[in-house]
Amino acid sequence: MAEGECERIAEHYRAFANAAASRSPRYRDWAAGIAVDAELLDLISSLPRGKRDPQFVFACARVAGVPPRPFASARADFIELWSGITATAKARRNHRTSPSWNVGLIIALQQIKGPIALIDVSAEVGYSVIPDAFAYDLHARGRSYQVGESPVHLPASLTGWGANPPTIPAITYREGIDPAPLNGDQDDVAWLLAREFPEGEIRGLIADSAELVLKANPLITKGAVAATIRGAVARARRAAPKATIVLWSPFVVERLPKTERVEFEKYCSRAKLHWVSLDHGDADGACALTIDGRRIATTDIDCRDVVVENMHGLTPDELDLIEFERVYWGPLRSKESLVRKHWSLSLVRYYQLLYAIMESVAARRYDPILVRAFDEAKDQPARRGR
C-alpha cells in the first residue's frame, strides 16, 4: 500500500488514541501502538476503506481472539490472528447502535402529539424499535426520577432550561429497517459486545438490552433506507391511521451517499410525518438531536448527558423560576426559607417576579397548567370581595 495511505491511517489512529484516552485506556494504548507500527498499518490498509476505523478493527480483533491486554504483548496476537480479523471485517458492517440512544428518542417524542407510529431506519438489533420497553433513570433539576418499568434501565442526566423528566409515549405501531439486521443470537451478541470499549459499563447493558429485544421480537424489515422507507410508512398508515408517524434516524443520514441523503431529506419534508434524528455535530464531539431539522438538544455520543435547548422564548432565569415553582408549588411551610436560600430574595419579591413571568405568552405556551393555577390563585381574592 502507498506510504501516504498508511500515514493517513496512522493519523486517524493517533486522533482516536487522543479521543479514547478518557473512555478506554486499553484502546488508547492499542491505537497509539498501531499508529507507529508499519507492519500493522500496512495490514489495516488492505481492508476496505469503510472498515479501517480503530473501534471497528478492534472489535474484529476481539472476535478473532485478540485479548484486551497491553499492545506490547497483544501486537503478536494481531499479526497471528490477522486472517480471522479480516474475515470478521468482511462479514460485519462498520455500524453501531446503542440502547442509550433511546433517551434522546424519548425526549424528542415529548414534543410530538401521540399516539406514535414509530419507524427506526437504523434498527440493527432493534433497541430503538421498543423504546417504551426500557426504564429511564434520569437526573434532572437536582432530582432523580425513574420513568417507565423494565428490567433494563437507561441512566442519563438532563440539563438545560426546561429539562423535565419525560413520560413514556403511546406507541401503537413500530417497525425497524436495516440492510443487515441482527437476530440477537449468541454470535450477534458477541459482536455487539466486542464493539464496545472493554472497560465500559455499557457492556452489561448491551447484553441485557439484546435479550429484551429478543423477547419483544419487533418487526424489522431487511433493506436499505431508500428502498424500504415508503413501504414502511405505508404499512404504518394502514395499521395505525390515527397515529403520528415518526422516523427515527440515529447517525444514519450523515452516512448516506449524497444523492440518497438529498432524496431522504426531501421525502421527510414532503411526507406527512415527523423526522427525529441524532447526528454528529460540533468538532468537540457533541451530537445534535433534531425534530424536522430543528435542534432541540445536544448530547454526548451515547445520550448519557443531554442538554435540552429552550425553544419557548423565555430567558434562562425565567425558565429557572418556573421550574423552581413547578417543584415547590403550593403553600409550603418552608417556602420562604427555600426562596431565600435558592434565590436570595424575599418571598414577596419572588412572587412579584413570578407573576410578571406568568403574564407572558411564552410562559403560557411553556407550562399552561402552572399559568392557569396562578390565574386561579390571583382571581380568588377578587371573588371573595364580591
Side-chain angles (χ1 to χ4, degrees):
M1 181 60 66
E3 184 177 340
E5 185 64 22
C6 286
E7 180 51 38
R8 279 190 288 273
I9 296 171
E11 182 57 36
H12 187 35
Y13 276 67
R14 282 191 288 269
F16 178 85
N18 291 331
S22 62
R23 300 186 68 187
S24 177
R26 176 60 62 236
Y27 278 6
R28 180 191 182 282
D29 174 47
W30 281 11
I34 289 173
V36 294
D37 191 303
E39 184 177 4
L40 278 173
L41 288 171
D42 191 54
L43 288 173
I44 292 170
S45 70
S46 67
L47 297 174
R49 286 185 179 275
K51 298 189 174 184
R52 299 174 185 174
D53 292 340
Q55 198 159 349
F56 177 76
V57 171
F58 296 165
C60 294
R62 290 171 62 193
V63 168
V66 178
R69 56 186 180 180
F71 180 72
S73 53
R75 181 190 183 279
D77 299 315
F78 272 92
I79 301 297
E80 180 182 351
L81 298 171
W82 188 255
S83 61
I85 295 172
T86 301
T88 302
K90 289 179 178 178
R92 295 291 184 178
R93 283 196 304 150
N94 185 5
H95 177 66
R96 173 184 177 267
T97 57
S98 170
S100 295
W101 293 348
N102 280 334
V103 174
L105 175 57
I106 288 288
I107 289 171
L109 291 180
Q110 305 307 297
Q111 299 191 25
I112 299 174
K113 183 179 180 181
I116 303 295
L118 177 64
I119 300 173
D120 179 3
V121 302
S122 181
E124 196 184 46
V125 72
Y127 303 132
S128 290
V129 185
I130 56 166
D132 48 341
F134 291 82
Y136 299 84
D137 294 337
L138 306 174
H139 187 78
R141 295 280 167 186
R143 300 176 67 184
S144 295
Y145 305 82
Q146 179 182 313
V147 178
E149 296 290 337
S150 172
V152 183
H153 291 237
L154 304 178
S157 172
L158 308 185
T159 55
W161 308 111
N164 302 308
T167 57
I168 301 297
I171 301 176
T172 55
Y173 179 83
R174 67 191 78 229
E175 181 176 347
I177 295 172
D178 198 274
L182 304 183
N183 59 24
D185 63 17
Q186 188 173 355
D187 288 343
D188 284 345
V189 172
W191 172 246
L192 294 171
L193 294 174
R195 292 188 316 195
E196 305 299 329
F197 291 130
E199 306 90 342
E201 62 181 27
I202 199 172
R203 289 172 57 80
L205 175 62
I206 291 293
D208 292 342
S209 299
E211 184 177 349
L212 193 67
V213 175
L214 198 60
K215 290 179 180 177
N217 192 29
L219 171 63
I220 300 180
T221 302
K222 184 176 182 179
V225 174
T228 55
I229 187 64
R230 287 173 173 79
V233 169
R235 285 189 290 275
R237 289 203 170 111
R238 286 195 300 270
K242 294 183 179 180
T244 302
I245 296 177
V246 174
L247 299 185
W248 168 236
S249 64
F251 305 107
V252 174
V253 179
E254 61 191 33
R255 296 197 306 267
L256 292 175
K258 185 176 180 180
T259 54
E260 290 185 31
R261 183 169 67 249
V262 170
E263 184 61 29
F264 179 80
E265 292 174 349
K266 186 184 298 184
Y267 174 75
C268 289
S269 67
R270 292 177 177 176
K272 294 181 179 179
L273 51 78
H274 287 292
W275 170 30
V276 179
S277 191
L278 185 63
D279 301 285
H280 292 99
D282 303 329
D284 63 1
C287 301
L289 178 66
T290 62
I291 299 177
D292 300 327
R294 170 178 62 88
R295 190 166 72 177
I296 64 166
T298 56
T299 82
D300 64 307
I301 189 70
D302 283 320
C303 290
R304 294 296 186 95
D305 293 294
V306 182
V307 181
V308 181
E309 298 194 359
N310 168 31
M311 300 300 296
H312 301 278
L314 295 163
T315 69
D317 286 344
E318 289 170 340
L319 277 167
D320 209 7
L321 272 167
I322 292 174
E323 289 301 316
F324 182 87
E325 184 62 24
R326 191 205 297 266
V327 173
Y328 298 110
W329 164 253
L332 300 176
R333 187 174 299 176
S334 59
K335 187 71 167 281
E336 186 168 3
S337 62
L338 285 168
V339 168
R340 287 191 182 278
K341 181 179 179 181
H342 188 85
W343 296 101
S344 299
L345 294 171
S346 69
L347 194 59
V348 171
R349 181 55 181 156
Y350 168 81
Y351 276 116
Q352 285 175 340
L353 293 172
L354 197 57
Y355 271 109
I357 295 169
M358 291 299 169
E359 294 291 335
S360 69
V361 174
R364 198 171 299 276
R365 189 167 55 237
Y366 176 70
D367 193 337
I369 296 174
L370 188 61
V371 172
R372 190 180 309 122
F374 265 77
D375 288 344
E376 292 173 355
K378 186 172 58 176
D379 290 342
Q380 284 175 1
R383 292 194 188 101
R384 284 197 296 266
R386 289 175 188 165

